[in-house]
Amino acid sequence: MAEPARQLDVIDARPAFTQADADALNARFDGVDALTMLKTVFAEGLAGKVAVVSSFGTESAVLLDLVARADTSVPVIFVDTLKMFAETLNYRDTLISRMGFINSRSVTPDADVLAKKDETGLRWSYDPDGCCDIRKVEPMNRAKQGLDAWISGRKAFQSTTRQNMPRFEVEDGRLKINPLGDWTKDDLEAYFAEHDLPRHPLEAQGYLSVGCEPCTSKVLPGEDPRAGRWRGWDKVECGIHSPVTPIPVPSVDPEDPANQPVF
């Protein structure tokens, strides 16, 4: 009796999504409202294993409300840097309870890494990039393991580094979804009012963008909404969000001597 053909174990190392996938999704949902888009993405499984990442900042309630209206079983991930405002932690609990999410979790920095790289807890004061790396970026990378896609609350109007933001983009092989990318501040305010959403308690005090307590200050009239983050430093992002630009395909001129065979 012939032995069955040997089957080789193959590890599929291909990314979950490519830029072509993101382009197709951007085309499909062009002009579709954010809630309808989210409902369709979840119902059809277009994003695979997906979670929403929230900072529970001053504008976070809008995205969380939209996701909850679409599917309350979508996981909610919060990166607790252990430097957060107490008001933010309380706001997190309020929103999760009110919106009925059934799967929420917080991720924190690695204790051993903190002991080695931020023993005093003051790294934010002399190396904010390094502090963000160990307190936000590394925990976030751990949280994203096993995910095919994640949902971000970024908006293009928040700063010049976030302009021309697509709804769907690819980062490290994962799909990154920005449902509010084209929303304006007026759009957010109207949504807050229409759905009577609770506000972050620090917003009324002038904190228009809330991150870690040591690196967050009030925003002055006329300033960029994120001007109060890392004030005095040449820094506008924590590192969780990085610009994603598709690598262009170079045009090849067959007549160029550089493209001719050596032999």
Side-chain angles (χ1 to χ4, degrees):
M1 183 176 178
E3 294 183 1
R6 181 186 177 193
Q7 294 185 345
L8 299 178
D9 290 332
V10 178
I11 298 176
D12 188 352
R14 294 173 298 177
F17 290 93
T18 65
Q19 186 59 45
D21 296 323
D23 292 343
L25 288 168
N26 280 318
R28 174 176 175 178
F29 291 103
D30 183 30
V32 177
D33 67 273
L35 181 56
T36 300
M37 180 196 76
L38 288 170
K39 286 182 175 179
T40 305
V41 167
F42 298 152
E44 297 184 15
L46 300 179
K49 189 174 181 181
V50 60
V52 57
V53 175
S54 179
S55 66
F56 291 90
T58 55
E59 298 164 350
S60 296
V62 172
L63 176 63
L64 290 169
D65 189 73
L66 287 167
V67 173
R69 289 174 185 276
D71 188 347
T72 54
S73 71
V74 172
V76 179
I77 298 173
F78 170 65
V79 177
D80 182 355
T81 66
L82 307 181
K83 293 285 186 182
M84 312 303 292
F85 286 92
E87 290 88 344
T88 296
L89 301 180
N90 293 332
Y91 190 52
R92 171 198 60 188
D93 297 342
T94 297
L95 293 183
I96 290 295
S97 175
R98 167 170 172 157
M99 295 174 183
F101 284 105
I102 60 177
N103 185 358
S104 65
R105 63 190 176 100
S106 297
V107 291
T108 57
D110 183 275
D112 291 336
V113 173
L114 288 183
K116 294 176 182 177
K117 297 186 176 182
D118 195 14
E119 182 180 5
T120 65
L122 295 174
R123 186 160 186 163
W124 60 269
S125 66
Y126 60 89
D127 180 20
D129 284 335
C131 187
C132 284
D133 189 57
I134 60 179
R135 291 183 178 272
K136 298 190 78 170
V137 178
E138 191 280 329
M140 187 69 249
N141 287 341
R142 275 191 279 116
K144 289 190 294 186
Q145 289 179 4
L147 294 179
D148 300 313
W150 61 293
I151 302 169
S152 157
R154 294 185 306 164
K155 277 78 65 176
F157 79 85
Q158 289 175 320
S159 69
T160 56
T161 61
R162 297 184 173 189
Q163 292 178 355
N164 303 317
M165 183 186 304
R167 271 186 165 180
F168 298 89
E169 55 188 347
V170 175
E171 185 177 88
D172 298 327
R174 292 186 184 88
L175 190 67
K176 188 173 181 180
I177 308 173
N178 306 303
L180 306 181
D182 59 350
W183 283 43
T184 66
K185 185 64 174 176
D186 288 342
D187 294 332
L188 294 173
E189 293 300 322
Y191 194 96
F192 264 103
E194 179 182 356
H195 299 283
D196 192 27
L197 298 180
R199 312 297 299 231
H200 193 294
L202 292 176
E203 185 175 10
Q205 300 179 35
Y207 295 91
L208 303 188
S209 179
V210 179
C212 293
E213 186 171 4
C215 297
T216 301
S217 59
K218 297 179 181 181
V219 175
L220 302 177
E223 285 189 318
D224 184 298
R226 287 175 61 84
R229 304 287 293 276
W230 306 286
R231 189 177 293 279
W233 292 91
D234 183 18
K235 179 177 174 63
V236 294
E237 296 283 359
C238 64
I240 286 179
H241 301 294
S242 56
V244 178
T245 303
I247 300 175
V249 178
S251 58
V252 177
D253 180 2
E255 301 301 320
D256 189 329
N259 296 318
Q260 297 297 318
V262 177
F263 300 106

